[in-house]
Amino acid sequence: MIALVNVVVVAAMLLCAWAGHVSPARHPICEVISLGFPIPLVVNLLFLVFWLVSAARFALIPLVGLLLCFNSVRDYCPVNIPGDKSESQIKVLSFNLNNYNGNTAPDSDYIAITNYIIDSGADIVCMQESQIGNRRMGKVITSMVENVYPYRRDDRKPGHVKQSFYSKYPIRWAKDIPFERDHKMPKDASKNASMVYCLDMGEDSLLVFNCHLASQKFDSEEKSEFQDFVDRKTDHINERSLISKIESSGKVRALEADFISRTLKKHSDASVLLCGDFNSSPTSYAHHVIAGCLTDCFRKTGNGVGYSYSHYGMYVRIDHVFCSDDWTPVSCKIDKNFTVSDHLPVICWLKKRSKP
């Protein structure tokens, strides 16, 4: 009977892994199912320990399950030996600033975030939600970064969330990614936006995508309710509303990811970095679509679950960095020591492959 329960858990794990490869634009419930992957994964690991202690021959059941879901397990919780960093590599920082914590944030939040970016030593910085509500602090930030990052962009389409980009390399041009051209995209589907920048890297150019995909649109009451549920302060949660928002936002993110994928395929010979807040876990459809075109730097060199968002009891890795095949990810980490924003910074070191 226990073995049969383990088989059911393996089947649930396979279902969650499979759901992440099905577009929520066609089947919205798949976005919800894919989020559940960690639950059967953890239970299956517990079964593995149980069988090894009590009846080793049955350990084959959870082992087969892990092998069948190997790619999803690697996406969710990779294990790697990071490479050695050197000055010849480039350092990339992707960071959702949460608009410096809003209009009422103290000056210290603006200064702390800006100093963190400067002290990171990153060559390329992709920022999401970078709106500065305090005009005076906007001038202060500019004076702080202008000597470190001579090439900067602040981009905001009307009605959309602002994005910023700092670079130590010249910016040849910058364009927004026009998701609205996709006739399947719902009108006013997302207030987030994505940009692409072309950098002058000497003999070569580099396309950098700064992506901010559709948010879940949970309101503050729903987030607080979810936090209380996780903390066992209440047994009530509005599942229908949460699932509905996950499905609707998942559909938009799927369409956005498909649009970005088509854009990447049009520039298949280009050198590419893609960073940003996907609002999607590593087992989601949006992640799988982009990973089909580029290399996930955290999967290649990171370790552990590596959550980049942990507020309201939601521990998820939704911020990602990808690169094209002409780059080798050397190391990628999520800095859990800097917690001024509601997101954690993602830092990656990459090395350019030598030309054949």
Side-chain angles (χ1 to χ4, degrees), residues 54-317:
S54 61
R57 66 184 185 278
F58 286 106
L60 188 62
I61 299 172
L63 284 174
V64 169
L66 291 171
L67 287 173
L68 291 174
C69 297
F70 179 76
N71 283 330
S72 293
V73 174
R74 282 277 294 162
D75 285 336
Y76 182 74
C77 186
V79 177
N80 297 287
I81 301 175
D84 296 326
K85 309 176 189 70
S86 70
E87 293 183 358
S88 63
Q89 300 159 9
I90 67 166
K91 190 175 184 180
V92 180
L93 169 63
S94 182
F95 194 8
N96 184 314
L97 308 185
N98 190 32
N99 296 321
Y100 295 88
N101 292 329
N103 297 339
T104 59
D107 292 355
S108 58
D109 283 2
Y110 290 93
I111 298 298
I113 290 173
T114 305
N115 276 331
Y116 178 85
I117 293 170
I118 293 171
D119 294 341
S120 73
D123 301 290
I124 296 169
V125 184
C126 292
M127 291 162 279
Q128 307 85 41
E129 296 187 26
S130 57
Q131 181 68 33
I132 301 174
N134 186 324
R135 184 174 297 181
R136 176 180 58 83
M137 287 308 302
K139 295 179 180 179
V140 172
I141 290 172
T142 298
S143 67
M144 291 174 66
V145 303
E146 59 186 355
N147 293 327
V148 181
Y149 294 103
Y151 309 102
R152 304 183 303 279
R153 292 274 311 197
D154 291 308
D155 298 284
R156 183 181 183 183
K157 295 195 295 184
H160 288 70
V161 178
K162 182 181 175 183
Q163 291 177 282
S164 297
F165 181 76
Y166 295 166
S167 172
K168 294 182 180 179
Y169 302 99
I171 302 173
R172 290 179 178 175
W173 51 260
K175 297 179 181 178
D176 74 285
I177 300 177
F179 294 127
E180 63 275 4
R181 291 184 183 176
D182 189 337
H183 68 278
K184 297 179 182 178
M185 189 73 69
K187 291 184 178 180
D188 301 325
S190 174
K191 292 184 179 180
N192 299 343
S194 298
M195 294 287 299
V196 57
Y197 308 91
C198 181
L199 302 186
D200 186 346
M201 304 284 286
E203 295 181 358
D204 302 312
S205 60
L206 173 66
L207 296 183
V208 182
F209 289 72
N210 185 11
C211 298
H212 190 192
L213 304 189
S215 302
Q216 301 286 7
K217 297 182 179 179
F218 297 150
D219 58 37
S220 57
E221 182 178 343
E222 288 172 323
K223 291 178 180 178
S224 298
E225 186 181 75
F226 188 83
Q227 176 74 74
D228 290 342
F229 181 78
V230 172
D231 294 339
R232 297 183 179 180
K233 295 179 180 179
T234 179
D235 57 0
H236 171 75
I237 189 170
N238 192 342
E239 301 99 332
R240 183 172 297 180
S241 175
L242 293 176
I243 290 174
S244 176
K245 288 186 176 182
I246 293 171
E247 288 182 343
S248 61
S249 62
K251 176 180 179 180
V252 176
R253 285 192 297 276
L255 294 172
E256 290 174 332
D258 287 338
F259 195 100
I260 293 171
S261 175
R262 292 194 295 270
T263 303
L264 290 171
K265 289 174 181 176
K266 290 178 182 178
H267 299 86
S268 58
D269 295 331
S271 181
V272 173
L273 293 179
L274 191 150
C275 310
D277 176 5
F278 277 40
N279 281 299
S280 291
S281 76
T283 57
S284 68
Y285 175 81
H287 180 275
H288 287 316
V289 167
I290 303 303
C293 303
L294 303 171
T295 299
D296 181 346
C297 295
F298 192 86
R299 186 185 195 273
K300 196 76 172 178
T301 64
N303 282 289
V305 175
Y307 57 84
S308 62
Y309 184 90
S310 59
H311 283 232
Y312 303 102
M314 303 175 188
Y315 292 85
V316 286
R317 187 167 86 248

Side-chain angles (χ1 to χ4, degrees), residues 52 127 167 326 346:
L52 290 174
M127 291 162 279
S167 172
D326 58 321
V346 183

